[in-house]
Amino acid sequence: MKKRIFLVFFCFLAQFILAQTARIKGVILDEFNNPIEKVTVSVGDKGTETNKNGFYSLEVPAEKEITIVFSHVSFKSATIITTLKKNEDFEFYPVLNDRVNQIGPVTVTGTSKKRVEGVTSIDPVVIRTIPGANAGIENVLKTLPGVYSNNELSTSYAVRGGNYDENLVYVNEIEVYRPFLIRSGQQEGLSFTNTNMVENVDFSAGGFQAKYGDKLSSVLDITYRNPKQFAAGIEASLMGGSATVEAVSKNQKWSNITGIRYRDNSLLVNSKETETNFRPSFADVQTLVNFNASTKWSWSFLGNISQNKYNYEPLTRQTNFGTVSEPIALVVVYDGQEKDKYLTLFGALKSVYQYNANNKLKFIASTYHTQEQEYYDILAQYRLGEVDSNIGSETFGDVVYSRGIGSQLSHARNDLDALIFNAETKGFHEINEKTQIEWGIKYTKEDIRDRIVEWEVIDSAGFSLPAPILDYQNDQPYNPYVGPLAPYQNRRATNYTTINRISGYAQWNYKGAFGEHKYWMNLGVRGHQWQVKNTNSVDGDSQFVVSPRAQFAIKPNWEKDMLFRISGGMYYQPPFYRELRDYDGVVQPNVKAQKSVHFVVSNDYSFKLWTRPFKLVSEAYYKKNTDVNTYTIDNVRIRYLANNDAEAYAYGFDARLNGEFVPGTESWFSFGYLKTEENQNDRGYIARPTDQRLKFGLLFQDYMPNIPNFKVYLNLVYNTGLPGGSPSYADPYDYQLRLKDYRRADVGFSYVFKDQEIQSSKKWLKPFTDFSLGLEIFNLFNNQNAITNTWVRDVYTKSQYGVPNYLTTRVFNVKLIAHL
């Protein structure tokens, strides 16, 4: 009897060991790129179903021809015939189309996950085709409601009253960082994200889940492509170019996508009023390597090397402003130059272990190293005067009478070296078809070495202007000045700072029903502990914060496809390094985390117009902020007071209508209203630096019906003016002036020789999967948009004039796109 049992066991074991099997897996999508739940995947008598994310995984026989069938009651079935090798891990992503005879109202299935979570998904094709001076993901984000930016040369953006430092950015679930010393949009050559490598982009403007990190405003979640076959592509324009290569090994276990980019902003900067010698060099290399070790283990490496060199030598500038009856001009002659360098090294290793269909673990480790140098010595000698407005005069347009003369000498020797290390573990567990649990824990160490040496000397009519913060009376030139000699601005600091952080989260997802009405719930909590150590001061206290968050969405069983969502919670932002530095550049180790309570109510209405799909998303929000770390904005540089001495609030309404206004293309209109104010030391509420009341955005795609190869793309943004432009050291309670409204339109014309829809019989196009040539016009209507003001004294009236610092004018660009 024992021998018989042993023999049966041995045969079973041998059959298990010698079995010739492989695995097929992937995500099943509908024609709108939404995942489909409960699709049956079958091979013979074996089968499985996709989960709420559209994911499936099935072991199949290897070394023989098999037929795989994908079927769903609401979609046409799909079938493939293939032969897989032993232990091959084959990924297949079919797209199922609606049945022709399908009728009735739209039903909600697992495809509604992003809709439930309040996440905006952006098609990568739209990102790559929409024109913009700084084209990419951030360029498209600026057309969304609640997202604001007044500098086309910068990738910085503010969301719903927050500032540029309050936005989370993830690439393949790995947090990425911006340079520290960037202070001008024209210094930014490249965003971290390489749009030619992107597969999916999700964006949330508030009320996001606990699984995302500790920032106050928004989350941008980007996923890079996992290549399925060899491909290559290039883009070239007057502003630079890029090349991308994708490759897959024969056994499908290894894959790689690598992108190289180069950008030159001189075409844009040379269109500004300041004549310069501008020699920029912005370049980077990114690579994503994937390895499927087995049907359960997968590994990936994301690497980036970026080097930006900014060499700037201003020569002359003339800015005309004032009124028609009283035109005024500022004429400046420069001497000196600016040399900035930003070298960034980034590497991240990610491993995913899916030990069964319902349980998954992720392990992520990343290192970010940046070396930044900001050196400049620039002498600006200016003349402020009245302009000859007589058209027939030989001196028409020239300054004929000077109201003020002076000079400004700016000096900086700023160096920063930062090393940031992260180690993280995440878990996902699907308890049943209604309940999921997610958790994660993360350790971060930030080691930053920083030296700040900045000073500025200002001369007006031959008299040096001392720092206005000094307590003295100065009524030059009528009486001699006997106070201390000091530059107008002076900042000197050296900081060696180490920050250790431990953070984690846990959240619970549930899907249920009230009768025929479906609902979803998400409850989560985050915790964050940190301590700041600085060699130049006493170590900071250990601090800890807890952030509970929740979302609730309901889909009534109505004839109209509507979904209602409420989300909110408590959001903390523990200070990052720049938030620890006060106005003089000295680190304050006990700066507290800023706290914000979010409350968001929204409605999604999906409908058909002209037999084409449309969606109207509207959201109302309110945010109450305490322990606010107040700041000032100069161009895109933020300087904090680092004292948590204020409270603030923000409320508003956002709406976005998107759909196929033109068949086969996605376009949208967006509108946003915002009001945000702060109260410093109980002095009363004033507008915050990001109080941009109204915003209109338009992203439109079209083509000529008779010439479908010819396509047009329009990117239009209108923002009302921001507070700002006040003189240095000015009390914001004394200056609440606003800049002019920001108006900009970028248009692109593209002739598509070949793509997935448009085919060509020409032999030279045969190697290409798509090939197009286009013309882009930036700032189509040549609007004069100002980013800041330069303040110049009138020696006779002792008044100061705010001279606008205008952004780029109309610029033409030619662009070529080709993919193999």
Side-chain angles (χ1 to χ4, degrees):
M1 183 66 179
K2 292 182 179 180
K3 291 182 179 180
R4 185 175 300 174
I5 294 175
F6 177 81
L7 183 61
V8 172
F9 175 79
F10 179 80
C11 293
F12 174 80
L13 182 62
Q15 182 180 6
F16 177 80
I17 294 175
L18 298 176
Q20 305 292 312
T21 61
R23 185 175 74 160
I24 181 171
K25 65 178 181 178
V27 176
I28 301 178
L29 307 173
D30 63 17
E31 56 188 339
F32 303 111
N33 279 338
N34 296 315
I36 308 175
E37 184 181 14
K38 294 186 178 180
V39 176
T40 300
V41 183
S42 59
V43 177
D45 58 351
K46 299 182 64 176
T48 186
E49 282 190 347
T50 57
N51 63 12
K52 57 183 286 188
N53 301 318
F55 175 81
Y56 71 94
S57 176
L58 179 65
E59 287 196 0
V60 297
E63 306 296 344
K64 70 176 184 178
E65 187 176 88
I66 57 174
T67 300
I68 307 171
V69 180
F70 305 87
S71 59
H72 191 280
V73 293
S74 301
F75 296 85
K76 292 181 180 180
S77 298
T79 302
I80 63 168
I81 301 174
T82 185
T83 300
L84 302 181
K85 298 179 181 179
K86 179 183 177 182
N87 295 324
E88 182 177 350
D89 203 13
F90 179 70
E91 293 188 11
F92 184 65
Y93 297 79
V95 176
L96 303 186
N97 296 316
D98 289 344
R99 291 183 180 273
V100 177
N101 60 352
Q102 185 179 3
I103 59 174
V106 178
T107 59
V108 175
T109 65
T111 62
S112 63
K113 179 182 177 183
K114 294 177 183 178
R115 187 180 177 193
V116 168
E117 295 179 356
V119 172
T120 301
S121 294
I122 305 173
D123 188 351
V125 176
V126 173
I127 295 171
R128 289 189 283 269
T129 55
I130 296 301
N134 211 331
I137 292 175
E138 295 83 0
N139 177 54
V140 176
L141 284 182
K142 295 171 185 179
T143 66
L144 297 179
V147 183
Y148 300 85
S149 177
N150 282 22
N151 192 334
E152 60 267 13
L153 292 177
S154 173
T155 58
S156 301
Y157 56 91
V159 178
R160 292 180 176 176
N163 67 37
Y164 307 138
D165 292 338
E166 297 180 5
N167 306 300
L168 286 162
V169 179
Y170 293 97
V171 174
N172 284 18
E173 300 184 86
I174 302 159
E175 186 174 359
V176 298
Y177 304 90
R178 286 172 45 80
F180 290 80
L181 297 183
I182 290 292
R183 60 181 174 84
S184 170
Q186 61 193 33
Q187 293 171 312
E188 297 183 70
L190 294 167
S191 158
F192 178 91
T193 309
N194 188 330
T195 56
N196 293 315
M197 299 170 63
V198 170
E199 179 179 58
N200 186 63
V201 178
D202 293 334
F203 179 75
S204 176
F208 42 87
Q209 297 181 0
K211 65 182 179 180
Y212 296 113
D214 296 291
K215 295 283 187 180
L216 295 183
S217 293
S218 72
V219 174
L220 178 62
D221 192 2
I222 301 164
T223 304
Y224 278 176
R225 281 197 307 279
N226 188 357
K228 307 299 182 298
Q229 59 184 7
F230 174 81
I234 61 168
E235 292 186 9
S237 74
L238 300 179
M239 296 168 56
S242 65
T244 308
V245 177
E246 304 176 38
V248 181
S249 65
K250 291 183 178 180
N251 61 4
Q252 299 290 322
K253 286 183 175 293
W254 290 88
S255 65
N256 170 255
I257 179 170
T258 299
I260 302 174
R261 296 182 295 172
Y262 173 81
R263 182 177 175 87
D264 183 342
N265 277 349
S266 58
L267 182 69
L268 295 168
V269 175
N270 289 338
S271 74
K272 301 174 71 173
E273 291 180 325
T274 304
E275 294 185 11
T276 67
N277 289 327
F278 184 58
R279 301 179 301 278
S281 175
F282 307 131
D284 80 340
V285 179
Q286 287 192 37
T287 185
L288 175 64
V289 180
N290 301 297
F291 173 58
N292 295 316
S294 67
T295 57
K296 293 183 178 182
W297 275 102
S298 64
W299 299 77
S300 63
F301 171 78
L302 176 63
N304 174 69
I305 301 175
S306 174
Q307 179 168 287
N308 296 345
K309 292 183 179 180
Y310 177 80
N311 297 325
Y312 179 70
E313 184 180 349
L315 302 175
T316 62
R317 163 188 173 181
Q318 177 169 339
T319 302
N320 298 321
F321 63 105
T323 63
V324 175
S325 60
E326 190 180 3
I328 304 175
L330 175 69
V331 179
V332 186
V333 177
Y334 295 95
D335 190 15
Q337 61 181 329
E338 177 177 353
K339 290 186 176 181
D340 302 333
K341 295 180 181 179
Y342 306 90
L343 175 63
T344 299
L345 305 174
F346 176 83
L349 185 64
K350 177 180 176 181
S351 178
V352 179
Y353 177 56
Q354 181 146 8
Y355 49 95
N356 57 43
N358 298 325
N359 296 277
K360 181 188 299 185
L361 293 175
K362 298 179 181 180
F363 308 94
I364 303 172
S366 66
T367 301
Y368 173 85
H369 186 206
T370 179
Q371 293 178 325
E372 303 178 19
Q373 169 188 299
E374 185 182 49
Y375 290 178
Y376 58 82
D377 287 284
I378 297 178
L379 173 63
Q381 296 176 310
Y382 68 86
R383 182 161 63 110
L384 177 70
E386 297 178 2
V387 178
D388 185 358
S389 57
N390 186 358
I391 298 179
S393 173
E394 294 181 356
T395 59
F396 174 71
D398 296 335
V399 176
V400 293
Y401 177 74
S402 296
R403 292 188 177 186
I405 59 174
S407 62
Q408 174 180 310
L409 176 61
S410 300
H411 167 90
R413 293 294 185 271
N414 299 331
D415 293 280
L416 183 141
D417 190 307
L419 180 65
I420 302 175
F421 172 76
N422 293 286
E424 184 176 10
T425 301
K426 295 181 178 181
F428 177 85
H429 311 282
E430 186 165 357
I431 308 304
N432 51 52
E433 63 178 9
K434 294 184 177 181
T435 307
Q436 297 88 33
I437 294 176
E438 298 179 65
W439 59 270
I441 187 169
K442 180 179 180 180
Y443 169 74
T444 302
K445 182 173 183 178
E446 302 161 11
D447 189 0
I448 300 164
R449 296 157 297 284
D450 182 23
R451 184 193 69 169
I452 304 170
V453 178
E454 288 184 16
W455 52 259
E456 182 180 65
V457 176
I458 298 179
D459 171 274
S460 180
F463 296 92
S464 177
L465 301 181
I469 61 173
L470 298 178
D471 186 16
Y472 62 88
Q473 292 293 326
N474 177 18
D475 58 353
Q476 296 181 85
Y478 305 102
N479 290 300
Y481 172 68
V482 295
L485 292 177
Y488 193 77
Q489 295 189 55
N490 187 22
R491 297 179 181 88
R492 295 174 183 269
T494 302
N495 302 299
Y496 295 90
T497 307
T498 302
I499 309 173
N500 289 285
R501 305 178 188 270
I502 297 178
S503 60
Y505 70 90
Q507 67 179 42
W508 170 73
N509 306 314
Y510 182 78
K511 177 174 64 176
F514 295 125
E516 296 181 349
H517 308 298
K518 296 183 179 181
Y519 69 90
W520 295 260
M521 286 194 302
N522 172 269
L523 300 176
V525 62
R526 286 192 66 86
H528 193 128
Q529 183 275 334
W530 76 98
Q531 185 176 22
V532 179
K533 297 182 179 181
N534 194 300
T535 57
N536 298 332
S537 63
V538 178
D539 292 345
D541 299 329
S542 177
Q543 302 186 56
F544 179 73
V545 294
V546 178
S547 306
R549 306 175 188 179
Q551 291 184 332
F552 177 81
I554 184 169
K555 170 66 177 67
N557 186 26
W558 295 347
E559 182 178 352
K560 293 184 177 180
D561 183 12
M562 284 193 173
L563 183 140
F564 299 89
R565 184 176 56 255
I566 300 175
S567 60
M570 192 177 295
Y571 293 76
Y572 282 96
Q573 181 164 320
F576 199 47
Y577 177 70
R578 288 205 301 185
E579 298 163 74
L580 296 171
R581 291 195 321 189
D582 62 16
Y583 206 79
D584 293 322
V586 179
V587 167
Q588 304 296 326
N590 284 317
V591 174
K592 294 187 290 186
Q594 300 183 83
K595 175 183 176 182
S596 179
V597 177
H598 288 202
F599 184 73
V600 184
V601 180
S602 62
N603 169 256
D604 289 15
Y605 175 34
S606 297
F607 59 97
K608 286 195 174 182
L609 186 64
W610 309 308
T611 68
R612 298 193 291 272
F614 283 82
K615 180 187 288 187
L616 174 63
V617 180
S618 54
E619 292 191 341
Y621 59 89
Y622 176 81
K623 296 194 288 187
K624 177 64 176 178
N625 298 353
T626 54
D627 292 327
V628 172
N629 194 352
T630 53
Y631 58 90
T632 58
I633 295 180
D634 180 12
N635 203 302
V636 297
R637 177 170 59 176
I638 296 177
R639 281 191 170 135
Y640 293 92
L641 294 184
N643 55 11
N644 299 110
D645 69 338
E647 59 181 14
Y649 69 84
Y651 64 81
F653 175 79
D654 292 336
R656 175 172 174 255
L657 175 65
N658 71 295
E660 295 186 18
F661 292 92
V662 177
T665 64
E666 181 185 17
S667 302
W668 63 70
F669 296 89
S670 62
F671 164 77
Y673 169 78
L674 163 72
K675 184 176 182 180
T676 179
E677 292 184 324
E678 64 186 16
N679 181 1
Q680 300 181 23
N681 287 324
D682 294 325
R683 297 176 62 188
Y685 280 94
I686 59 173
R688 304 194 79 190
T690 52
D691 181 38
Q692 198 147 39
R693 294 296 173 84
L694 294 177
K695 187 262 178 67
F696 295 91
L698 168 65
L699 189 148
F700 193 75
Q701 303 182 73
D702 198 359
Y703 60 87
M704 292 186 178
N706 296 329
I707 313 177
N709 299 62
F710 189 79
K711 299 186 178 182
V712 181
Y713 310 96
L714 178 63
N715 181 3
L716 187 149
V717 174
Y718 169 80
N719 298 328
T720 53
L722 281 167
S726 58
S728 299
Y729 290 101
D731 187 339
Y733 280 83
D734 296 332
Y735 287 87
Q736 280 293 293
L737 302 176
R738 288 181 178 264
L739 298 169
K740 291 183 178 180
D741 296 351
Y742 180 86
R743 297 164 295 170
R744 185 175 180 88
D746 299 324
V747 65
F749 305 93
S750 177
Y751 188 86
V752 180
F753 293 88
K754 184 179 180 181
D755 64 9
Q756 294 181 352
E757 298 178 357
I758 300 174
Q759 299 299 314
S760 175
S761 59
K762 296 181 179 180
K763 292 184 179 180
W764 67 275
L765 288 172
K766 188 175 181 180
F768 300 99
T769 57
D770 61 82
F771 189 98
S772 63
L773 182 64
L775 170 68
E776 298 177 326
I777 307 176
F778 306 138
N779 198 358
L780 176 65
F781 302 113
N782 202 26
N783 293 314
Q784 285 191 314
N785 296 310
I787 184 64
T788 53
N789 285 334
T790 296
W791 291 86
V792 180
R793 291 166 57 95
D794 184 335
V795 70
Y796 296 102
T797 64
K798 291 187 177 181
S799 60
Q800 295 193 75
Y801 288 90
V803 183
N805 294 316
Y806 291 120
L807 292 166
T808 59
T809 58
R810 184 187 296 117
V811 175
F812 295 85
N813 184 41
V814 179
K815 189 175 184 179
L816 171 70
I817 300 176
H819 291 93
L820 299 175

